[in-house]
Amino acid sequence: MCGIVGYIGNKNAVPILLDGLLRLEYRGYDSAGISVIKNSDITVVKNQGRVLELFNICNNYAIDSSIGIAHTRWATHGKPSKLNAHPHLDNSNTFSVVHNGIIENYQEIKTFLKSKNYQFLSSTDTEVIPNLIHYYFSQTSMKNTKDFLTAVKNAINDFSGSFALEILCKTFPDNMIVVRKDSPIVIGRGLNEFFIASDIPAILSYTNNFYLLNDLEIAYLSKNTIEFYDINLSPIQKNSTVINLNASSVEKGDFEDFMLKEIFEQPKSIRETISVLLDEEKITFPNFSLKQEYLASINQIYIIGCGTAMHAGLGIKPLFQHLLKIPVTVDIASEFRYNESIISNRSLCIFISQSGETADTIAALKLSKSKGAKTIAITNVTGSSITREADFSLYTHAGPEIAVASTKAYTSQLTLLSILAIYMAEIIGFKDKALLDSLKNNLLSIPDKVDLALQSSERLKEIADTIFKEKDIFFLGRGIDHTVALEGSLKLKEITYIHSEAYPAGELKHGPIALIDKDISVISIITNPSLSNKILSNIKEVLSRGAKSIIITSLDDNNYELDSNFLIKLPNIHPFLSPIVAIVPLQLLAYYVSKNKGLDVDKPRNLAKSVTVE
């Protein structure tokens, strides 16, 4: 969940490292630091706080070096502090390391190293890494490249857990080692230079030519060459991949925050996701197909994700079940491995991850494959770890999402999954062709309907002005609208720090109504006409107890005006596809509440964009 940057070449590394860290602050922002080699010595500059503070410190140092590594931290082991910030050095200041991931057995390694008279300054798991490398390095002649590689190889063989590492050694001032296991890192190639990062957007303005490391592959870099080795230090060949992304897509442009930009990009991201897969008549998935015989053989579909990705799974479950008549289970990735799910070669498992690097989701995918299930990855990032593990990978075409709170990735996931459900229904011969045609037509109109939903932004600002000081807010929905309530509540929690809960409206009287009083706002989502009267009854229950009522609906009913303090009207949309549109005002509401509170919308406290540790 931390951000890593590295550079080796002919330019001054420091501005490149700091620029990369700024672009990676969505991965962590409690501390930051850089490490460079100059005149065969390692210089480390680090500090608690944001990257901009590190800029000022580095300017005072006036460092100039053509090789360096950098890190922005999301704290796991040890509180945010200068001492716990990366990079970390070994006791002799020979090795400098930055690390994303968790060394699960670091206490055992620490005990061993202490027995060898190594001392530790920080509370982190990372500090054992440079010291263990030094321990193994001291057992060699310490004269050649092979010694550096051997020391790193021996150390990583001792680690349990996950890691992406950049390693400098002052004995070899013109070289860097990069290695990964279960944590993301990419190497970009320039002209006599290399750029390293945990996410492609950090270095996208420098190159679009990338090497993608698999687990336990080691890269040995100079400014002119790159060599790859497996864990036994046998040389391997790797080809680079050209990844074409628009560098401007990782800039704010005219928007104040990335989150607002990404909310307003949703018509475009949905349209691009649709255009790749669906025209008016036919659905086509590039490099992906399922056979009727296979679909007839499965007896269970699992949809797995974390946070917003899991909510996308919940939002699409009704459509899958209705069209395929196959039981669908939506599960949280971090729980999936431990709840004894009955997975077999008759299971189809769909895994959703915006980054493609979510550790729990990848672990759940590996488990499913080991049980014989066919696996499909839904992700936004070409070449990400999940795409290399899954049997099939489908891309949302949302473009880079920088704000920690996911918006356009969620609606693009729902869009892609809707198309996938219709595609599978056509393969198995779903008899109601009129429904399939209606769903296709509705999907083609969704970008315009999201555009219309965005036009409620001024009204949502007014609502935000009235509720931003509240301590508790409730979200209600029935059926598929409850899944939207869950995601709306999560958005509010993430960026406003207001306590909120989402309930199926019918459950209100089974306990939660005890919390309703005049200081509470209740937000209700209504898009299904068959459930409209039911939820109106629940809204009257909260109004009678003095709560404020905010209704978001795509339906026409005069009662909504009577039963709400604020009413937001949505364009009409098929109920199965309604989450794609209904979430938009809730995203905007969370955004404007956060702005009213004076908070950092893009970088909410305690959160990071890509959760690459379990």
Side-chain angles (χ1 to χ4, degrees), residues 42 60 137 152 157 227 351 438 453 473 481 502 516 529:
I42 292 176
N60 292 335
F137 191 62
V152 171
N157 273 334
E227 300 167 3
F351 298 87
S438 173
I473 293 177
D481 292 332
I516 303 297

Side-chain angles (χ1 to χ4, degrees), residues 132 136-137 140 149-159 231:
L132 188 61
Y136 282 118
F137 191 62
T140 70
L149 284 164
T150 299
V152 171
K153 184 263 291 188
N154 289 340
I156 63 178
N157 273 334
D158 289 346
F159 299 146
I231 191 58

Side-chain angles (χ1 to χ4, degrees), residues 260-291:
L260 189 63
K261 174 178 180 277
E262 288 157 8
I263 290 172
F264 276 87
E265 283 177 341
Q266 287 177 113
K268 177 176 181 285
S269 61
I270 293 168
R271 189 174 287 113
E272 292 189 359
T273 298
I274 292 171
S275 67
V276 174
L277 307 174
L278 170 66
D279 59 29
E280 292 184 9
E281 299 295 329
K282 188 178 180 183
I283 294 172
T284 304
F285 281 94
N287 305 314
F288 170 77
S289 64
L290 294 172
K291 302 297 184 185

